[in-house]
Amino acid sequence: MSDNETSRSSNFIRQIIDEDLKTNKNNGRVVTRFPPEPNGYLHIGHAKSICLNFGVAQDYTGSCHLRFDDTNPNKEDSEFVQAIQDDVRWLGFDWGEQPYFASDYFQQLHDYAVQLINMGKAYVCDLSAEEVREYRGTLTEPGRNSPFRDRRVAENLDLFARMRAGEFENGTKVLRAKIDMASPNINLRDPTIYRIRHGVVHHQTGAEWCLYPMYDFTHCLSDAIEGITHSLCTLEFEDHRPLYDWFLDTLGTDCHPQQIEFSRLSLQYTLTSKRKLTELVNEKLVEGWDDPRMPTIAGMRRRGYPPAAIREFCHRIGVTKSGNSVEMGVLESCVRDELNAHAERRMAVLRPLKVTIESYPEGSGEMLVVSNHPQDESMGTREIPFSRELYIDRNDFLEVAPNKKFKRLVSGGEVRLRNAYVIRCDEIIKDAAGNIVELRCSHDPETLGAAPEGRKVKGVIHWVSAPHALTAEVRLYDRLFNHPAPDASKDGKNFREHLNLESLEIVTTCYLEPSLEHAKQGKVYQFEREGYFCRDSHSAEQRSLIFNRTMTLRDSWAKIESANMHSGVLGGVNKHPRRSQ
RNA sequence: UGGGGCGUCGCCAAGCGGUAAGGCACUGGGUUUUGAUCUCAGUAUGCGCAGGUUCGAAUCCUGCCGCCCCAGCCA
């Protein structure tokens, strides 16, 4: 991580920490934690939390624990435990010696529960789930005490021991904290802290327990056990803070971390709901958790987003308590900035149109030395073959220029071949149906690395040498949803109805310059004038060459063009206008 | 209509009583063998609304309005 990436952001949480440090509140220590439940893959919303928690720890020379909040074995899986670690590491963060697991504390948690019972602050309740709900009251009416609320301590102790011993069926009994059934805060109306779960194998503890603690009880105590100083979570837990404090105060733990809430990220045109992302995966609406269209960290990795771009994004959006809805453009800008600076340039033709340079001697060719980055010499050079037969992109040729601004190749016109010669289109070859199948051109041999004499050629287009070209499949991605808030649209539609059916376009016959033959999976290149692409990390081994488009280039021409189309100034020139994702 | 939050430019977001930072987006100019990059300039007499306190208010007070979250044996 670069230096300028750290130590610069400030937000209300850092202000609180600054104040705590000033008053020596935790003896100058800063310990945070990132506590995912291993029931799915991490997404961009988690990235915000990861950057916040690990970033704070880094900048205050503290530490950040990666702790799995694994108290619900019904939904969790070790596949997720592994994936989460891979993702956090890839994002660039280090959790030190080992990850933590809430399940490591099951025995301690159990003992704390017994302590609560002994204090008369918890009781075993025989009400069914439905009865518990009825007794809880509503938002505007207080709840009623459970008939089991006043069981004697000895009886509670006995019952709880037998719950643990497996004597009772699922759902027949729970352990509840005895707080206040009339509290205006529903979370304080004797919340359940332990439930019975027979017959599930926990990914960490196996079949050791048939009793599992609930989040509110587990989280604060896990934080206290680990000596966390600042427990950062999202806004929906604000109502739970009194409970967080109640358990720690009641049990008198030595350590009492401070819970601070911030608003969760909402990114337009996508989802950050783990439940819904799971649905997309399980119902095969996408290829998997790492589908390049997914807002998951694994998906963005496969797509080619650099980790530094994601960190920069998290920095740019900030941390506050206000509701937000961040535009995709911010993420895209971060990805482009990072890739523009670090991606090597290459040439690739996505929609090939054959070009023959008739003035170029038949059977000959030459190697041109071109730079890998126009602004960064340290990235070196490479050689690309030039020959008599080339491919250019169909979108770079038009028989007649639609307007004075068009500066690509037209019949009888000239254009610069990027890194090579200026050519002129002399003849158009069409098939029986009238489709253009080839261009016959001539080149100006004096224009290699030199401006043409006596005229100016404005356009520059990319190309590849036909006999040397590599054939590849290219996958073009667009946004997964066509509604800015697929999750919360007011039109009554389910988020699945907002899926963009054109989010993936596969172009099967693309031609690449030869240097791309051994492109490493995941390394992102800029295909000049097309965008950023990386070799797919799944299929690169078994299939030939498959590239994912990470991101388009900013395209002010497409913008002008679509504006013109809407105002009727010119017809459709580009059948495939570039669109940012 | 209970409780907890939030409202500063199209979207994020600084600001913490001294006269509205910055980023993204957008618009216009320059450079350019990527219509990319880079670069210059422009964009809130206004901070949800209405009162009040003050020499001075986005910042303090009062009252409204709007939006979000909470009734899992999920986290």
Side-chain angles (χ1 to χ4, degrees):
Chain A
M1 210 161 307
S2 62
D3 285 343
N4 68 348
E5 211 177 299
T6 57
S7 314
R8 36 170 195 167
S9 62
S10 190
N11 54 53
F12 78 100
I13 291 176
R14 285 166 183 258
Q15 289 179 357
I16 291 171
I17 295 174
D18 287 339
E19 199 53 41
D20 290 346
L21 254 22
K22 211 173 294 172
T23 59
N24 202 34
K25 185 174 172 186
N26 301 297
N27 295 315
R29 288 183 320 125
V30 174
V31 184
T32 56
R33 101 270 89 112
F34 171 61
E37 183 188 11
N39 66 344
Y41 278 55
L42 264 21
H43 54 63
I44 186 71
H46 293 110
K48 174 177 179 178
S49 176
I50 291 168
C51 291
L52 205 214
N53 280 293
F54 282 93
V56 159
Q58 251 163 29
D59 295 349
Y60 289 88
T61 56
S63 58
C64 178
H65 297 182
L66 169 61
R67 181 172 72 231
F68 291 97
D69 223 328
D70 55 349
T71 58
N72 186 359
N74 293 245
K75 295 184 173 176
E76 300 158 8
D77 193 287
S78 52
E79 175 201 347
F80 301 131
V81 171
Q82 188 56 50
I84 287 168
Q85 294 184 65
D86 293 345
D87 289 346
V88 173
R89 210 167 355 236
W90 177 79
L91 248 195
F93 298 103
D94 179 10
W95 55 85
E97 298 299 298
Q98 78 289 310
Y100 295 78
F101 289 86
S103 54
D104 287 343
Y105 314 132
F106 279 177
Q107 185 59 49
Q108 285 177 79
L109 259 13
H110 167 89
D111 297 345
Y112 273 125
V114 169
Q115 191 181 330
L116 237 28
I117 293 172
N118 275 123
M119 296 171 79
K121 298 290 190 181
Y123 61 98
V124 172
C125 182
D126 298 0
L127 254 24
S128 69
E130 188 166 330
E131 289 167 328
V132 168
R133 189 181 347 116
E134 284 164 9
Y135 275 80
R136 187 157 31 226
T138 68
L139 294 177
T140 52
E141 304 158 13
R144 290 137 48 214
N145 285 172
S146 161
F148 305 99
R149 196 172 201 262
D150 295 317
R151 284 221 252 234
R152 298 284 76 98
V153 168
E155 185 184 2
N156 282 317
L157 251 16
D158 173 62
L159 254 14
F160 190 56
R162 290 164 63 194
M163 280 168 69
R164 180 184 182 177
E167 286 188 30
F168 307 112
E169 294 299 302
N170 285 353
T172 56
K173 282 179 170 51
V174 293
L175 184 69
R176 292 225 256 167
K178 190 192 284 189
I179 307 180
D180 178 8
M181 288 306 290
S183 172
N185 180 344
I186 286 194
N187 298 118
L188 263 21
R189 319 240 263 228
D190 290 9
T192 298
I193 57 180
Y194 266 94
R195 73 292 213 187
I196 299 169
R197 285 276 188 280
H198 285 290
V200 286
V201 177
H202 187 284
H203 50 99
Q204 301 300 317
T205 60
E208 191 183 340
W209 294 85
C210 62
L211 226 46
Y212 289 94
M214 298 283 287
Y215 167 85
D216 286 309
F217 181 69
T218 307
H219 203 88
C220 56
L221 288 166
S222 299
D223 282 349
I225 289 168
E226 293 177 14
I228 301 298
T229 56
H230 302 271
S231 184
L232 316 181
C233 63
T234 43
L235 246 32
E236 65 270 28
F237 292 102
E238 205 151 21
D239 290 342
H240 294 242
R241 193 170 65 226
L243 234 194
Y244 185 103
D245 292 332
W246 187 89
F247 283 122
L248 298 185
D249 288 339
T250 303
L251 288 164
T253 54
D254 292 336
C255 170
H256 189 140
Q258 179 181 7
Q259 173 176 307
I260 306 171
E261 311 83 11
F262 61 93
S263 55
R264 52 191 302 161
L265 165 69
S266 165
L267 226 205
Q268 292 183 9
Y269 292 99
T270 191
L271 290 174
T272 43
S273 150
K274 231 197 257 180
R275 203 208 93 219
K276 288 174 177 131
L277 293 175
T278 302
E279 207 173 310
L280 292 177
V281 172
N282 290 346
E283 307 197 14
K284 310 242 186 293
L285 269 10
V286 293
E287 218 183 276
W289 285 103
D290 66 348
D291 185 301
R293 294 165 296 182
M294 289 282 271
T296 51
I297 293 177
M300 294 188 285
R301 173 167 64 232
R302 185 171 166 202
R303 173 83 170 255
Y305 288 14
I310 297 172
R311 279 184 245 127
E312 172 63 17
F313 171 73
C314 292
H315 169 68
R316 288 190 196 177
I317 59 176
V319 177
T320 67
K321 297 187 70 157
S322 42
N324 61 74
S325 173
V326 179
E327 292 176 345
M328 262 298 175
V330 180
L331 214 206
E332 292 174 351
S333 169
C334 294
V335 172
R336 289 195 181 105
D337 282 358
E338 185 65 26
L339 257 18
N340 173 56
H342 304 295
E344 289 186 14
R345 312 286 118 127
R346 291 294 185 272
M347 289 204 286
V349 172
L350 268 41
R351 321 227 180 230
L353 172 60
K354 181 86 172 290
V355 168
T356 300
I357 313 291
E358 298 194 286
S359 57
Y360 199 80
E362 222 160 321
S364 70
E366 63 191 303
M367 292 301 281
L368 305 174
V369 177
V370 309
S371 76
N372 288 327
H373 191 112
Q375 280 89 229
D376 185 353
E377 277 188 28
S378 74
M379 293 181 78
T381 60
R382 67 187 188 283
E383 293 192 321
I384 54 176
F386 184 85
S387 71
R388 195 170 192 268
E389 295 187 334
L390 316 171
Y391 288 114
I392 65 167
D393 197 284
R394 302 199 86 94
N395 294 147
D396 286 335
F397 176 78
L398 237 34
E399 282 193 69
V400 181
N403 59 32
K404 60 287 151 199
K405 281 187 173 173
F406 188 83
K407 54 185 199 184
R408 275 109 101 144
L409 190 60
V410 295
S411 180
E414 281 188 308
V415 78
R416 156 78 66 183
L417 289 179
R418 172 76 169 151
N419 294 130
Y421 305 93
V422 167
I423 61 168
R424 185 181 58 236
C425 174
D426 301 317
E427 188 185 353
I428 302 169
I429 312 294
K430 296 182 178 178
D431 64 14
N435 301 308
I436 299 172
V437 295
E438 185 186 344
L439 264 24
R440 298 278 165 86
C441 301
S442 53
H443 77 304
D444 179 345
E446 304 305 311
T447 56
L448 186 60
E453 242 166 79
R455 70 220 126 108
K456 48 212 166 299
V457 174
K458 278 201 301 186
V460 180
I461 65 174
H462 56 100
W463 55 276
V464 298
S465 167
H468 304 91
L470 264 21
T471 304
E473 171 179 312
V474 170
R475 297 173 182 171
L476 307 176
Y477 300 103
D478 200 347
R479 48 171 63 118
L480 228 202
F481 294 94
N482 49 30
H483 190 287
D487 212 5
S489 63
K490 308 288 182 193
D491 52 18
K493 286 185 179 171
N494 179 280
F495 74 98
R496 299 153 63 133
E497 298 176 78
H498 293 298
L499 274 168
N500 175 11
L501 279 349
E502 287 156 14
S503 58
L504 169 61
E505 180 188 358
I506 297 180
V507 188
T508 53
T509 311
C510 301
Y511 294 116
L512 319 179
E513 63 166 82
S515 71
L516 254 2
E517 182 175 5
H518 301 295
K520 286 202 184 69
Q521 296 179 3
K523 177 171 178 178
V524 186
Y525 295 91
Q526 183 193 107
F527 289 177
E528 292 194 81
R529 302 208 319 129
E530 287 291 354
Y532 297 96
F533 297 78
C534 67
R535 190 165 185 180
D536 188 64
S537 53
H538 275 204
S539 28
E541 286 164 30
Q542 59 270 43
R543 311 266 303 271
S544 46
L545 283 171
I546 298 178
F547 280 80
N548 292 317
R549 183 172 67 194
T550 303
M551 183 67 60
T552 57
L553 253 25
R554 222 178 244 108
D555 189 350
S556 54
W557 170 247
K559 207 177 291 173
I560 292 168
E561 191 182 40
S562 71
N564 284 343
M565 274 165 75
H566 287 122
S567 61
V569 172
L570 72 225
V573 174
N574 188 341
K575 286 211 174 143
H576 300 279
R578 292 169 183 152
R579 208 177 346 161
S580 49
Q581 74 143 353

